[in-house]
């Protein structure tokens, strides 16, 4: 009788244990579904945000010209936008860390709405400059990166962040084409109205489908060495504190300088395409679409697969090495067809470097500081846009197109040798 009771008791315990295990598995499965949905929503928000951004980029030059702004004044307008984005990136990241991903995305989308609203009433040059002001908080892509970072494990992060390249490619292609068609067929302000309505829709999407607490509560690094919850959103000391974590400064330097010469070239590309390649406006548009397709294929498909088979240290070195080869190719190119060939490794190196460095840097800091880190990373492109017109103009005028290629080659050979010898501490994690 005692034996029977023991067996019965054992059976009940095993059954209860099995039910608990099943419940945990179901809970985990539902959690995975929820995380997957949030990531998809983040991709959607980023795609719409980039589409509207590229749509206005094609309209602003004509709007500025219609208001009587000359080429020098237009340069100041672009520099203003770049400076605001540069300053706002780290601040936006701090805001995301302190108030959450959802509030950060709402802030970004609402700022985009204000941006397009001010553009829609820009009947004078001062109003056009004033319309740039909301750009300080327009960081839809870093906001989406923050949401994805919160929803993925470190081993999944590079692949998930890499797929944002699809969003970027779609944004370039649809945004550029849509802006041109709408402004030509219906008037220069119609793309602005579409951007205004679109950003309002994006704001609602963020409010409804991004959870209030996106970051998993079980993250064991939330409080590790972190003081992100203390201090002002505008605290420079708190932002610079992240640079003291092991490996952060070294990887960030590589991120900034590896693509800087190419970044200067791309800023001057509208002039180079006319003077050096002899392209018409329509042909330049086709070339932009070609870049968009390459971006989608490389970053959306290739980079993700590479992260599953190679360590991040290897991919970091590979991207810098390919960048050096791109520099040599650019130094020797003479026609637009040469550039189309060089563009393939160029997009590969750009996509790989951006994805891998973002992944490495977010792993190097506590999870409660990932927003600030992504904000700092997002400031790299605005920094290039700010200094690019001046430095790029001097290089092009004094030394020609080949100077960008030789500078790219020299800088990246130096960085590659440094990466071979350095012992940058990385969190190498496998799926």
């Amino acid at each position: 009788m005692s034996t029977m009771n023991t067996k019965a008791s054992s059976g009940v315990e095993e059954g209860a244990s099995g039910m608990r295990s099943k419940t945990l598995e179901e809970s985990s499965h539902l959690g995975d579904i929820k995380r997957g949905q949030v990531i998809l929503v983040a991709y959607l928000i980023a795609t719409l945000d980039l589409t509207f951004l590229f749509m206005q980029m094609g309209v602003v030059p004509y709007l500025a010209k219609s208001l009587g702004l000359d080429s020098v004044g237009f340069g100041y307008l672009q520099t203003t936008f770049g400076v605001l984005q540069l300053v706002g990136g780290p601040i936006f990241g701090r805001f995301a860390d302190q108030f959450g991903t959802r509030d950060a995305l709402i802030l970004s989308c609402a700022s985009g709405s204000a941006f397009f609203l001010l553009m829609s009433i820009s009947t004078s040059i001062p109003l056009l400059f004033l319309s740039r002001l909301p750009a300080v908080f327009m960081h839809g892509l870093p906001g989406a990166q923050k949401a994805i970072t919160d929803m993925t494990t470190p081993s999944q992060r590079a692949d998930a962040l890499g797929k944002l390249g699809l969003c970027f490619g779609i944004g370039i292609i649809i945004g550029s084409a849509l802006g041109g068609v709408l402004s030509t067929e219906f008037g220069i302000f119609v793309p602005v109205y579409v951007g205004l309505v679109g950003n309002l829709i994006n704001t609602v999407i963020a409010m409804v489908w991004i959870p209030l607490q996106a970051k998993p509560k079980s993250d064991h690094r939330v409080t590790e060495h972190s003081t992100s919850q203390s201090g002002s959103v505008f605290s420079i000391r708190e932002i610079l504190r992240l640079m003291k974590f092991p490996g952060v400064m070294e990887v960030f330097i590589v991120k900034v300088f590896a693509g800087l010469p190419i970044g200067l070239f791309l800023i001057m590309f509208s002039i180079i395409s006319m003077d050096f390649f002899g392209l018409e406006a329509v042909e330049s548009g086709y070339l932009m679409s070609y870049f968009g397709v390459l971006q989608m294929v490389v970053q959306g498909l290739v980079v993700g697969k590479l992260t599953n088979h190679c360590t991040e240290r290897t991919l970091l070195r590979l991207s810098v090495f390919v960048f050096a080869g791109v520099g040599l190719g650019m130094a020797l190119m003479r026609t637009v067809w040469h550039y189309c060939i060089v563009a393939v490794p160029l997009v590969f190196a750009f996509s790989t470097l951006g994805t891998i460095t973002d992944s490495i840097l977010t792993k190097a800091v506590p999870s409660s500081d990932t927003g600030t880190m992504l904000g700092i990373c997002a400031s790299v492109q605005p920094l290039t846009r700010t200094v690019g017109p001046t430095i790029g103009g001097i290089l092009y005028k004094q030394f020609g197109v080949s100077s960008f290629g030789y500078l790219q080659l020299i800088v990246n050979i130096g960085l590659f040798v440094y990466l071979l010898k350095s012992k940058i501490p990385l969190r190498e994690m496998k799926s």
Side-chain angles (χ1 to χ4, degrees):
M1 188 73 177
S2 175
T3 303
M4 291 179 62
N5 288 337
T6 301
K7 288 182 177 180
S9 176
S10 176
V12 170
E13 289 178 358
E14 289 178 1
S17 177
M19 290 179 65
R20 283 195 299 271
S21 177
K22 185 177 180 181
T23 302
L24 287 172
E25 288 178 3
E26 290 176 350
S27 176
S28 177
H29 179 62
L30 290 173
D32 289 341
I33 294 175
K34 180 72 173 178
R35 285 192 291 271
Q37 289 174 344
V38 174
I39 290 172
L40 288 176
V41 171
Y43 288 146
L44 174 62
I45 291 173
T47 301
L48 292 174
D49 180 82
L50 290 165
T51 298
F52 303 138
L53 186 63
F54 281 107
M55 190 169 64
Q56 68 87 29
M57 282 182 178
V59 173
V60 170
Y62 299 98
L63 178 58
K65 186 177 180 180
S66 69
L67 295 176
L69 198 64
D70 59 16
S71 58
V72 176
F74 181 70
Y76 291 145
L77 184 70
Q78 295 295 81
T79 300
T80 301
F81 185 85
V83 170
L84 288 169
Q85 289 254 293
L86 174 64
V87 173
I91 296 173
F92 177 83
R94 285 273 297 160
F95 181 91
D97 285 331
Q98 291 199 0
F99 297 97
T101 304
R102 186 178 75 166
D103 287 350
L105 281 170
I106 291 172
L107 174 64
S108 175
C109 297
S111 297
S113 300
F115 176 83
F116 281 100
L117 177 62
L118 290 171
M119 274 189 68
S120 69
I121 60 172
S122 293
T123 54
S124 64
I125 292 176
L127 280 175
L128 185 60
F129 272 87
L130 182 64
S131 72
R132 307 292 98 177
L133 192 58
V136 72
F137 293 125
M138 286 171 55
H139 296 280
L141 186 59
Q145 288 177 319
K146 169 67 173 166
I148 292 167
T149 300
D150 288 345
M151 287 288 125
T152 55
T153 63
S155 61
Q156 299 169 330
R157 190 166 301 163
D159 186 21
L161 289 174
K163 287 183 171 61
L164 277 170
L166 288 169
C167 306
F168 197 87
I170 293 171
I172 290 178
I173 296 170
I174 297 180
S176 301
L178 192 60
V181 170
L182 290 176
S183 60
T184 302
E185 296 293 330
F186 304 104
I188 198 169
F189 281 104
V190 172
V192 180
Y193 300 143
V194 172
L196 171 59
V197 175
N199 273 276
L200 289 173
I201 293 173
N202 237 2
T203 305
V204 174
I205 292 174
M207 292 174 67
V208 175
W209 280 291
I210 298 295
L212 184 62
Q213 178 61 38
K215 190 175 298 182
K217 294 180 180 179
S218 60
D219 194 325
H220 68 280
R221 291 200 297 140
V222 168
T223 58
E224 177 190 346
H225 305 303
S226 174
T227 58
S228 71
Q229 302 304 313
S230 63
S232 168
V233 169
F234 303 96
S235 173
I236 301 298
R237 182 179 62 83
E238 287 299 313
I239 294 171
L240 295 178
R241 173 183 58 84
L242 299 186
M243 290 297 170
K244 298 178 182 179
F245 282 86
V248 169
M249 180 62 77
E250 293 90 334
V251 173
F252 188 74
I253 288 173
V254 173
K255 182 180 182 68
V256 171
F257 287 100
L260 181 59
I262 291 295
L264 300 178
F265 171 84
L266 293 176
I267 286 173
M268 299 298 298
F269 187 73
S270 58
I271 296 174
I272 293 172
S273 63
M274 290 187 293
D275 295 347
F276 187 76
F277 294 131
L279 300 182
E280 299 293 336
V282 175
E283 294 169 326
S284 295
Y286 291 149
L287 197 57
M288 286 296 292
S289 297
Y290 170 67
F291 266 79
V293 172
L294 282 180
Q295 181 86 17
M296 291 172 63
V297 172
V298 172
Q299 194 164 344
L301 302 175
V302 177
V303 176
K305 292 186 182 299
L306 284 176
T307 58
N308 293 327
H309 297 89
C310 304
T311 64
E312 291 179 337
R313 188 186 300 274
T314 299
L315 291 177
L316 182 61
R317 290 171 176 170
L318 176 63
S319 61
V320 171
F321 181 76
V322 173
F323 256 143
V326 167
L328 180 60
M330 288 185 61
L332 300 176
M333 72 179 179
R334 294 294 178 268
T335 69
V336 68
W337 298 110
H338 294 162
Y339 185 58
C340 286
I341 295 172
V342 172
V344 177
L346 168 59
V347 171
F348 170 80
F350 244 136
S351 301
T352 305
L353 181 75
T355 301
I356 295 304
T357 51
D358 285 351
S359 177
I360 291 172
L361 290 170
T362 54
K363 292 175 188 177
V365 299
S367 63
S368 53
D369 288 312
T370 54
T372 306
M373 192 72 255
L374 287 169
I376 295 172
C377 292
S379 298
V380 174
Q381 287 189 353
L383 174 63
T384 305
R385 288 199 300 267
T386 301
V387 303
T390 302
I391 300 176
I394 294 172
L395 283 174
Y396 180 56
K397 185 176 181 180
Q398 298 294 328
F399 307 103
V401 172
S402 61
S403 62
F404 296 100
Y406 286 122
L407 182 61
Q408 179 76 14
L409 175 63
I410 294 169
V411 169
N412 281 274
I413 286 178
L415 289 174
F416 183 70
V417 172
Y418 170 74
L419 287 174
L420 287 178
K421 293 182 177 181
S422 70
K423 300 294 182 182
I424 299 175
L426 302 181
R427 292 178 180 266
E428 301 289 5
M429 301 186 184
K430 297 185 178 295
S431 301

